[in-house]
């Protein structure tokens, strides 16, 4: 939810911290701040609002001199996004500063205890207890003080700690919140994710839960929770700087929509060798697969929507029951999951709190777990038995696009692979699907090229206050994502509805001029959809349809048409979502919305 960053070296820290915060801003953008240690004094600057405001206030960092510091960009959980609640928080004696991503669950009790001990509080945040604990436990030894403090905390936290008495030293602590160390030459860093590090170093150390690190310009020492030194491997960051920048596009979201052909290629191509699907990272044997009685797919938001698509494909091909359920529900309902269940968790970030909790719950119940995840080394990737990376590259826009389509592509590969191992698919169909999946990068490019008129349609419809997305089968699964895309970035209410359900109540909401977007790419059910279109048009709706290229019958039914290229019926969700991502983008642009940083949202939801 929040982004944290730290730097120690010979250079001025603040300009580097601000650059890092700009890269992390997608994680939260309510307020931002830095704390820098110079001449034995910690100086804190923080503002409510975006990182740019902090840059202006600090003259791009020049006003905060010093060579070691920590920074934070916030997505408010405890306390409104005000200057006071912004991080870093400073102890009353001014000797300690802290930045925090996560939630301190026992903060209320700690706050009471610290107030009773005479520590005045200055914010409404849960985080503030940490600096007062640091001051309280200050023993003159930074490591011991940090350990004593952390021992009192319950919840999830990635912390960056600065102490006025230890120039050039930072501590970074990880417990159930992402934190990565960047290894430089004569300088070292930490950050919530690699996008803030890649401009400076390609060498990273991934901390695990319960571990903490001491960073100085000369080196990094990692400790386990009992304070014993540990050897950690240095990993090479594969993402490059350009991938985390806009590259000439007005918004990251548009760039990421356009990157989808390339992302799909990265997800699919290395996994098809001589016509056979080869799934690196999946160690499930045919025998183990044959013992699976049920598949449960779980995730949040768009990743859940990818799971809904996967459910249709997998059940159709593998002929075993497949369910998809949002992780925030699954984790709290005592689900019937055991050793004969394969649980597939999907997550772009790999750090979504509800998804992680559901994954842990399912593991405890003995299920085999498989993760479809984008971020290498993320918590979900570490926890699952098998991992399939989506290789989409960094996704910065809060609204996922290439994250979603690569998830669906990987689930499609997995479904065909499993069907083959289970001997539920014949050779011809197997070859047909493999070739269909391999064509997805080129088909996705065609989806972009076919819909140059989408910006014009967005101009026509951007004033609609509420609309419906309807479809059947895989078209319906794609509706879920199309509707969320529009809602999250344009703030226009919409609903995804199974077209056959409209007449059971919702059709009462169809009135003159209401826009209904009909997804009609699942050709086998086109006639049914055509009837549903007639029903809503008879009640005054305007219909914008999405059809496969070459479908001429639609012109007699719809007011406007978007196109998807012809693909295998099981793969339509990938090609038909593209024009609807673009539609959401252009509607939000027409309405002057902050497309990459929609209000109240954050990219990575690391709290419950
Ligand atoms: C998608 O556009 C959303 N921003 C959101 O629903 C997201 O998909 C969800 O929070 C899950 O994130 P994850 O894939 O990183 O787990």
């Amino acid at each position: 939810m929040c982004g944290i960053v730290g730097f120690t070296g010979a250079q001025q820290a603040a300009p580097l911290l601000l650059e890092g915060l700009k890269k992390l801003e997608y994680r939260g953008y309510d307020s931002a701040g830095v704390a820098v240690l110079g001449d034995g004094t910690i100086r804190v600057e923080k503002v409510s609002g975006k990182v740019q405001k902090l840059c202006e206030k600090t003259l791009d960092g020049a006003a905060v001199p010093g060579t070691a510091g920590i920074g934070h960009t916030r997505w408010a959980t405890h306390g409104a996004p005000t200057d006071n609640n912004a991080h870093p928080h400073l102890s009353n004696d001014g000797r300690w500063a802290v930045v925090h991503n996560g939630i301190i669950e026992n903060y209320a009790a700690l706050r009471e205890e610290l107030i009773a001990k005479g520590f005045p509080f200055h914010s409404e945040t849960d985080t503030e207890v940490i600096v007062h604990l640091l001051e309280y436990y200050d023993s003159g030894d930074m490591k011991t003080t940090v350990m004593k403090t952390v021992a009192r905390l319950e919840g999830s936290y990635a912390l960056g700690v600065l102490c006025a008495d230890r120039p050039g030293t930072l501590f970074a602590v990880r417990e159930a919140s992402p934190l990565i160390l960047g290894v430089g030459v004569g300088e070292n860093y930490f950050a919530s994710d690699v996008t803030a590090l890649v401009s400076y170093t390609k060498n990273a150390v991934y901390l695990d839960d319960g571990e903490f690190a001491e960073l100085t310009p000369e080196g990094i020492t990692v400790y386990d929770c009992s304070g014993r030194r540990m050897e950690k491997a240095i990993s090479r960051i594969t993402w490059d700087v350009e991938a985390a920048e806009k590259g000439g596009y007005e918004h990251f979201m548009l760039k990421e929509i356009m990157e989808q052909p390339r992302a799909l290629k990265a997800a699919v191509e290395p996994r098809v060798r001589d016509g056979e699907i080869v799934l690196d990272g999946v160690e499930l044997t045919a025998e183990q697969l044959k013992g699976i009685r049920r598949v449960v797919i779980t995730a949040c938001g768009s990743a859940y929507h990818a799971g809904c698509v996967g459910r249709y494909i997998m059940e159709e091909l593998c002929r075993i029951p497949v369910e998809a359920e949002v992780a925030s529900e699954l984790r709290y309902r005592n689900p019937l999951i055991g050793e004969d269940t394969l649980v597939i968790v999907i997550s772009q970030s790999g750090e979504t709190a509800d998804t992680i909790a559901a994954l842990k719950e399912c593991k405890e119940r003995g299920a085999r777990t498989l993760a479809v995840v984008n971020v290498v080394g993320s918590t979900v990737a570490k926890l699952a038995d098998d991992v399939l990376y989506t290789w989409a590259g960094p996704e910065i826009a809060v609204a996922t696009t290439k994250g979603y389509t690569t998830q669906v592509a990987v689930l499609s590969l997995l479904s065909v692979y499993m069907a083959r191992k289970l001997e539920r698919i014949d050779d011809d169909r197997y070859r047909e699907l493999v070739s269909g999946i391999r064509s997805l990068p080129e088909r996705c490019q065609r989806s972009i090229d076919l819909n140059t008129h989408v910006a014009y349609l967005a101009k026509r419809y951007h004033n609609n206050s509420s609309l419906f997305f309807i479809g059947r089968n895989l078209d319906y699964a794609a509706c879920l994502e199309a509707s969320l895309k529009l809602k999250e970035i344009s703030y226009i209410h919409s609903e995804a509805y199974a077209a056959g359900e409209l007449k059971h109540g919702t059709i009462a909401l169809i009135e003159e001029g209401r826009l209904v977007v009909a997804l009609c790419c699942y050709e086998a059910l086109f006639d049914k959809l055509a009837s549903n279109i007639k029903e809503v048009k008879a009640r005054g709706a305007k219909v914008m349809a999405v059809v496969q290229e070459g479908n001429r019958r639609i012109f007699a039914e719809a007011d406007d048409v978007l196109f998807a290229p012809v693909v295998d019926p099981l793969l339509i969700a990938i090609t038909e979502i593209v024009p609807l991502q673009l539609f959401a983008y252009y509607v939000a642009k027409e309405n002057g919305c902050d497309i990459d940083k929609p209000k109240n949202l954050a990219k990575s939801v690391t709290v419950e």
Side-chain angles (χ1 to χ4, degrees), residues 300-303 346-350 352 398-400 407 484-485 488 605:
C300 301
S302 295
I346 310 170
S347 177
Q348 187 285 127
S349 63
T352 302
V398 165
T400 182
Q407 284 162 356
L484 177 63
K485 269 310 66 90
E488 68 177 333
V605 187

Side-chain angles (χ1 to χ4, degrees), residues 47 59 64 72 85 117 122 204 232 276 278 290 299 304 317 326 382 394 398 500 515 518 572-573:
V47 293
L59 309 173
V64 204
H72 189 270
N85 289 336
K117 288 189 163 93
H122 312 280
K232 293 285 282 188
E276 285 295 324
V278 182
K290 283 176 186 160
Y304 163 70
L317 293 174
V326 286
K382 282 182 187 162
V398 165
L515 178 63
I572 57 171

Side-chain angles (χ1 to χ4, degrees), residues 567-584:
V567 283
D568 190 281
L570 291 185
L571 303 175
I572 57 171
I574 294 181
T575 46
E576 73 182 333
I577 198 64
V578 175
L580 296 171
Q581 294 168 339
L582 287 164
F583 181 70

